[in-house]
Amino acid sequence: RMTIKVSIATFNLMSLDDRPDRSPSLDERIPVLRPQLIRLDADILCLQEICAQHERNGRPRLEALDRLLEGTPYESFNRASTVDRDGNYLSHHNLVILSRFDIMEQHQYQHEYAPSPSYKKVTALPEELEAREISWERPILHAKVRLPNGAVLDVINLHLKSRRPTNIQGHKLSERTWKTAFGWAEGVFISSMKRIGQALETRILIDNLFDDNRCALIAVCGDFNEEFDEVSIEAIRGDVENTGNMDLAMRVMVPTERNIPEPARYSLLHNGKGKMLDHILVSRTMLAFFKGSEVHNELLHDESIVFAPKIFYPESDHAPVIARFELPESDIRWSTTTSVLRRERGRDKSHRSRYK
């Protein structure tokens, strides 16, 4: 049987920029990052933390990313990116999807499905007199990709709010030093609220895609800033164990890294401990063609140790993650009218085979 190989990767490049005051410089980072991208050999690559460069009297450009991709296959890939309301690249933390295949549509969502919640800080000094809207800074990027067999893959690129606490006025001695533990705790709570809000918006988007196509091919990729069994990712996954509803079984999103042995299953080092914060979640129909995943974490550095001398490495503090799939050469038409998923091949509708 002829198959089409499709590899999907995600990589947080950690503030890719070319500012002259940045250390290490972009020229120092490119020789380290470019081999990592080439090793991935991805057909679809989701990137996070891409900064835009502002030309004098011109529109922002992703010049640093263009320089990184020079001489690699990704240089000619189709591209989708987050933009502001004027259609310009964001100054920092852009999301980018690079695809060897055609990008049919691209969309971004920020408070479209989940309005900003209101919250009044309880420890702020001076005291807040009324509740204020809590907004998450980064949108969701969504691209519809046409695969070579004619199937459409919905690729969602995420960067959920970090665990770094939100500022609480009156409770910090410096950027990284807190005056009180309870001020720090409220900052963590607000950051968690932002992260879960982004997850809620992502889950609503996923369910909308399933409403349009019960057997949609979906891949949700990115830096989730949580491990796969924590609350935000559980909200995106929609496991039947949590919903208690078997009718939603086909809407479950599955973390692909679970096939990696646990000792090697980490994409970031925090205080000497490996954490899997970067993920590729796929729908059940996409999982049918899953062949394996990898985390390229051999050269990770731990940048979280508080009292150690600060060293700025050219690498990202995140490892890239890749998942590989093999799809049939012809488009798949799934039917869920029975308990068995059926596949129709090519133009001959009478030829059917069953997946159990």
Side-chain angles (χ1 to χ4, degrees), residues 31 44 150 224 261 311:
I44 299 170
F224 292 65
I311 300 174

Side-chain angles (χ1 to χ4, degrees), residues 166-181:
T166 298
N167 182 54
I168 306 294
Q169 57 267 33
H171 287 271
K172 297 191 75 173
L173 297 173
S174 64
E175 182 183 354
R176 295 293 180 100
T177 307
W178 287 79
K179 184 187 300 184
T180 65

Side-chain angles (χ1 to χ4, degrees), residues 1-274:
R1 185 183 68 177
M2 298 296 292
T3 60
I4 296 169
K5 295 183 179 181
V6 176
S7 55
I8 305 171
T10 182
F11 194 7
N12 183 334
L13 291 175
M14 196 180 68
S15 296
L16 185 73
D17 204 349
D18 68 350
R19 296 198 315 261
D21 61 340
R22 187 171 184 84
S23 178
S25 67
L26 181 63
D27 287 338
E28 292 171 318
R29 297 194 70 195
I30 284 177
V32 174
L33 292 174
R34 191 177 285 164
Q36 289 184 282
L37 296 178
I38 293 173
R39 178 188 175 189
L40 284 172
D41 192 23
D43 298 303
I44 299 170
L45 177 58
C46 294
L47 300 173
Q48 301 86 42
E49 291 201 25
I50 308 298
C51 298
Q53 289 69 51
H54 292 266
E55 296 182 334
R56 184 175 298 177
N57 300 323
R59 300 183 67 180
R61 298 180 57 190
L62 300 184
E63 182 67 28
L65 178 62
D66 292 338
R67 286 179 56 191
L68 173 62
L69 300 181
E70 284 177 6
T72 73
Y74 307 106
E75 185 177 15
S76 61
F77 275 27
N78 298 298
R79 183 183 297 184
S81 175
T82 46
V83 293
D84 62 20
R85 292 182 178 180
D86 297 321
N88 296 320
Y89 296 120
L90 308 174
S91 59
H92 64 286
H93 282 196
N94 283 282
L95 302 172
V96 175
I97 298 174
L98 302 173
S99 174
R100 187 189 306 275
F101 315 121
D102 290 339
I103 295 178
M104 305 162 54
E105 301 176 19
Q106 69 176 78
H107 309 276
Q108 68 181 56
Y109 311 91
Q110 188 174 14
H111 299 302
E112 182 167 335
Y113 300 126
S116 302
S118 294
Y119 176 76
K120 179 182 175 182
K121 294 177 182 176
V122 299
T123 67
L125 298 173
E127 180 183 355
E128 286 193 353
L129 299 179
E130 58 185 22
R132 301 179 183 179
E133 287 191 347
I134 300 294
S135 175
W136 34 95
E137 296 81 10
R138 294 185 281 263
I140 300 164
L141 181 62
H142 170 214
K144 287 186 173 292
V145 176
R146 175 73 72 181
L147 299 179
N149 63 357
V152 175
L153 172 63
D154 286 289
V155 180
I156 299 171
N157 189 359
L158 295 180
H159 188 181
L160 300 189
K161 179 70 178 76
S162 72
R163 294 166 178 262
R164 185 175 299 170
T166 298
N167 182 54
I168 306 294
Q169 57 267 33
H171 287 271
K172 297 191 75 173
L173 297 173
S174 64
E175 182 183 354
R176 295 293 180 100
T177 307
W178 287 79
K179 184 187 300 184
T180 65
F182 61 82
W184 173 89
E186 184 171 27
V188 169
F189 169 68
I190 295 174
S191 293
S192 299
M193 186 162 41
K194 293 179 180 181
R195 190 163 56 251
I196 295 172
Q198 287 176 281
L200 167 63
E201 191 155 38
T202 303
R203 185 64 233 190
I204 295 173
L205 169 60
I206 291 168
D207 279 326
N208 285 345
L209 295 175
F210 281 126
D211 287 342
D212 292 337
N213 178 3
R214 295 178 64 186
C215 298
L217 300 174
I218 304 174
V220 182
C221 314
D223 176 4
F224 292 65
N225 275 304
E226 283 192 353
E227 301 200 78
F228 75 87
D229 57 353
E230 295 185 83
V231 175
S232 295
I233 301 186
E234 283 198 331
I236 294 173
R237 288 166 55 181
D239 291 351
V240 170
E241 290 86 345
N242 289 331
T243 64
N245 186 350
M246 278 301 298
D247 291 340
L248 300 177
M250 284 301 296
R251 295 180 175 231
V252 171
M253 300 296 296
V254 185
T256 56
E257 77 268 9
R258 297 187 74 172
N259 78 312
I260 299 173
E262 191 170 351
R265 194 192 306 156
Y266 63 93
S267 63
L268 182 135
L269 292 173
H270 183 77
N271 290 334
K273 181 180 179 181

